[in-house]
Amino acid sequence: MPLWGLALILFGTFTVFAFIHFISKIKRPFSRALLSMAIGAATLAAIDLSSSFTGVYIPVSLLSFLTSVIGGLPGVTLLLFLNLFL
């Protein structure tokens, strides 16, 4: 996937999250949208860093990264459940 395609996906996700936060009348919708995306990426990184201690491993790829950024914490939870059952 070209870099501009990845940037377009991330920008579109940010815009949708900001719009959702704006509609729900949350103060500072842009920072909340960025925080939602950052929490997903940080959770994926934390699972990857602690995999040697816990034995839980999610392979980090473009698909898992986009799932964690777009889905946030529920997206990472989905990846964990899929890894457990498949």
Side-chain angles (χ1 to χ4, degrees), residues 14 17-18 21 26 28-43 68-69 72-73:
F14 173 74
F17 280 163
H21 291 306
I26 293 178
R28 296 185 297 247
F30 293 110
S31 62
R32 288 289 297 180
L34 191 62
L35 182 68
S36 297
M37 294 172 69
I39 286 174
T43 306
S68 66
V69 168
L73 191 59

Side-chain angles (χ1 to χ4, degrees), residues 23-75:
I23 293 295
S24 61
K25 306 228 185 259
I26 293 178
K27 294 180 183 177
R28 296 185 297 247
F30 293 110
S31 62
R32 288 289 297 180
L34 191 62
L35 182 68
S36 297
M37 294 172 69
I39 286 174
T43 306
L44 182 67
I47 289 173
D48 186 49
L49 290 174
S50 66
S51 64
S52 62
F53 300 115
T54 62
V56 177
Y57 177 71
I58 297 176
V60 178
S61 65
L62 182 61
L63 180 63
S64 64
F65 176 73
L66 286 177
T67 303
S68 66
V69 168
I70 292 171
L73 191 59

